[in-house]
Amino acid sequence: MIISKHLLGLEGVQREEISIILKTAQSFKEVLSRPIPKVPTLRGKTIVNLFFEASTRTRISFELAEKRLSADSISFTTAGSSVAKGETLKDTVRNIEAMKIDMVVVRHQASGAAQFLSQCLDAGVINAGDGLHEHPTQGLLDMMTLLDKFGRLDGLKVAIVGDIAHSRVARSNIHGLMTMGAAVALCGPATLLPRDIPAAFGSDLRVFTKVDDALRWADAVNVLRLQLERQKHGLLPSLREYAMHFGITRRRLETCKRDVVIMHPGPINRGVELESELADGEYSVILDQVTNGVAVRMAVLYLKSGGEQEVMNGNGL
Ligand code: CP
């Protein structure tokens, strides 16, 4: 199939393309387990990582993915750059592109920043999280982790719990999982749910108002961080009250009498949305998500650079 050179979001991305990325990521995961976890696949390509917003997991895993693929890569953060002198996003990236680059990975606080850059540049643009819009490689690594755990996405029940209104991770998960045939439910306080969910995501999306009902229903729960830095005042009475009604705790899981896989994109507000002991416990696949992030980003960089597509066969896809 024809794969676009950009990855701006998972909304509208076809099932076949997601399957190809996930299958390719499995192959790269095998590469990462070798004594020398490196291939010459992107030798000669130059990739710039533009991080206008803080990141630990995404930035490091893109940088590692680029090194594992033998690309030349440069990382840019706003501190110490001419952005501090008032240079615009467009001028910044057009100057960087003039140095002959092939691909840009961008994280930005503004929703739509990746789309905007794709219209200004000849280079491929990979969205590493833009405002409240999407975080497509997080959605892909979450799907890879679910596939590793359950062997399928089709028919899997995934509940996304927490601050969904401010979450680009939620949006990418919803679009990606629904495209792959999973059943998706949202659960959170009404003030932290998106407005008009059927119009935004279709009528197949469930909503639970009580977290215990979501836990009883789900095979896996993706617990989201309360994004206090993006919230307006007054959306929550207090963190204590949020933790009491929506925090995922061992006691709550035991009451629901279910084994459930616990995911979290990080960083975690321990003791708020997720009990600390549970984050590190037997139900958690949080560090598996981080491990899969490198393989998924290798697959995205490789395929978006025109790499050969894996033949689809089995593996739950
Ligand atoms: N999951 C995620 O995007 O984490 P970072 O903000 O640390 O990149």
Side-chain angles (χ1 to χ4, degrees):
M1 75 174 298
I2 295 169
I3 290 188
S4 153
K5 66 180 175 182
H6 305 302
L7 179 63
L8 307 177
L10 294 185
E11 183 175 9
V13 177
Q14 288 179 29
R15 184 175 179 140
E16 190 185 355
E17 180 169 341
I18 293 176
S19 298
I20 289 168
I21 295 171
L22 295 178
K23 186 83 172 49
T24 308
Q26 285 298 349
S27 301
F28 282 125
K29 196 167 174 180
E30 184 277 316
V31 169
L32 292 171
S33 68
R34 294 179 191 167
I36 300 175
K38 194 161 176 147
V39 284
T41 318
L42 292 190
R43 193 178 283 159
K45 300 275 185 197
T46 305
I47 303 174
V48 177
N49 305 304
L50 294 172
F51 278 73
F52 292 87
E53 206 185 55
S55 168
T56 298
R57 284 146 286 265
T58 311
R59 184 158 71 89
I60 291 174
S61 64
F62 266 113
E63 287 177 8
L64 260 180
E66 289 150 10
K67 288 186 196 318
R68 302 302 191 215
L69 292 168
S70 307
D72 294 318
S73 73
I74 307 283
S75 288
F76 165 100
T77 51
T78 42
S81 78
S82 290
V83 171
K85 299 176 198 162
E87 189 163 35
T88 64
L89 174 61
K90 185 172 176 178
D91 280 342
T92 301
V93 295
R94 292 200 68 202
N95 276 273
I96 291 171
E97 190 178 47
M99 299 179 212
K100 308 292 177 210
I101 59 160
D102 299 292
M103 202 176 270
V104 168
V105 174
V106 63
R107 168 167 290 194
H108 200 280
Q109 59 277 13
S111 305
Q115 168 81 31
F116 172 71
L117 290 191
S118 73
Q119 290 160 357
C120 315
L121 299 178
D122 287 330
V125 176
I126 309 298
N127 183 2
D130 62 328
L132 311 183
H133 172 230
E134 281 221 36
H135 191 351
T137 55
Q138 180 73 42
L140 289 164
L141 73 87
D142 289 344
M143 285 192 275
M144 183 175 179
T145 308
L146 288 167
L147 205 50
D148 285 352
K149 196 74 192 171
F150 294 97
R152 69 190 166 95
L153 294 173
D154 209 5
L156 200 67
K157 293 179 187 164
V158 183
I160 303 174
V161 177
D163 184 359
I164 293 152
H166 298 94
S167 176
R168 55 197 178 205
V169 173
R171 252 167 283 281
S172 289
N173 265 268
I174 294 166
H175 291 302
L177 285 166
M178 290 180 84
T179 299
M180 298 308 286
V184 182
L186 307 182
C187 177
T191 48
L192 297 182
L193 290 176
R195 292 205 189 126
D196 203 352
I197 290 170
F201 303 108
S203 51
D204 289 342
L205 199 62
R206 285 169 177 252
V207 178
F208 290 105
T209 50
K210 292 194 174 123
V211 76
D212 290 355
D213 293 339
L215 289 173
R216 280 189 201 98
W217 174 83
D219 300 310
V221 180
N222 202 344
V223 187
L224 301 179
R225 181 172 73 90
L226 268 189
Q227 300 204 29
L228 299 168
E229 75 280 16
R230 294 191 212 274
Q231 288 183 9
K232 297 189 193 92
H233 291 298
L235 295 180
L236 289 175
S238 69
L239 291 186
R240 204 167 142 266
E241 211 158 321
Y242 178 84
M244 201 188 320
H245 291 291
F246 291 97
I248 309 293
T249 59
R250 182 172 290 279
R251 191 184 161 88
R252 189 156 253 151
L253 286 193
E254 281 167 4
T255 311
C256 297
K257 296 193 184 75
R258 277 189 61 95
D259 286 354
V260 70
V261 167
I262 306 272
M263 307 170 78
H264 193 300
I268 305 169
N269 295 308
R270 286 177 180 260
V272 181
E273 69 263 6
L274 184 58
E275 193 172 56
S276 192
E277 181 234 315
L278 212 51
D280 305 323
E282 72 274 26
Y283 299 118
S284 170
V285 292
I286 293 170
L287 293 180
D288 300 324
Q289 292 172 262
V290 179
T291 302
N292 285 338
V294 181
V296 155
R297 287 166 179 133
M298 287 172 81
V300 167
L301 295 169
Y302 168 71
L303 291 166
K304 297 292 176 180
S305 304
E308 210 172 293
Q309 296 165 26
E310 290 271 346
V311 178
M312 295 293 98
N313 53 1
N315 281 19
L317 295 166

